[in-house]
Amino acid sequence: MKASKAEPQYIVESDKSGKRAAHKPDELRKLRAVGRSFEQKEMDMPAKSKAQQKAAGAALSAKRGETPKSELKGASKQMVESMSEKQLEEFAATKRKGKPEHVSK
């Protein structure tokens, strides 16, 4: 996060997930102006890697009842419990072309 007095950023904590993210004041105003919550902004993010996109696809299949949840492994097991079907759809729909296989933390 590169905040300064000229360009401040604010840490916003999600009520749903408890995750924190830095946002510029203008972005926060835009979300309020259109009546969107901060949690909804978080959902607009695509998958950042092929592995994340694949895990979201597996979790979405389980969320819809097409695959038993007991067959899920790793990240997909956590995703099915912590994400809505809409969020999973957005991650799973991300194009894989040009994405790295994994993203380092």
Side-chain angles (χ1 to χ4, degrees):
M1 176 171 84
K2 294 184 178 181
S4 66
K5 286 187 179 186
E7 292 187 39
Q9 293 190 9
Y10 298 93
I11 301 293
V12 178
E13 187 172 310
S14 167
D15 291 335
K16 185 176 177 184
S17 68
K19 292 182 180 178
R20 300 162 101 196
H23 296 282
K24 294 180 180 179
D26 289 341
E27 190 62 28
L28 297 176
R29 283 189 206 103
K30 286 179 196 173
L31 291 171
R32 285 190 189 118
V34 294
R36 295 175 64 197
S37 71
F38 299 116
E39 187 64 35
Q40 286 173 315
K41 180 180 187 294
E42 209 174 283
M43 290 192 302
D44 294 338
M45 294 172 45
K48 295 184 190 248
S49 69
K50 291 177 183 179
Q52 194 177 49
Q53 187 270 342
K54 292 175 191 176
L60 180 60
S61 177
K63 180 85 80 178
R64 290 177 173 167
E66 299 164 359
T67 304
K69 288 183 182 180
S70 60
E71 289 184 15
L72 296 178
K73 299 176 185 175
S76 58
K77 195 178 250 186
Q78 295 171 341
M79 291 172 124
V80 76
E81 298 300 327
S82 66
M83 297 174 76
S84 69
E85 188 171 332
K86 184 177 186 314
Q87 288 173 309
L88 290 170
E89 284 173 355
E90 289 177 11
F91 270 66
T94 303
K95 301 290 183 210
R96 286 190 218 171
K97 188 173 182 178
K99 297 281 183 199
E101 188 60 41
H102 294 276
V103 174
S104 59
K105 292 180 183 179

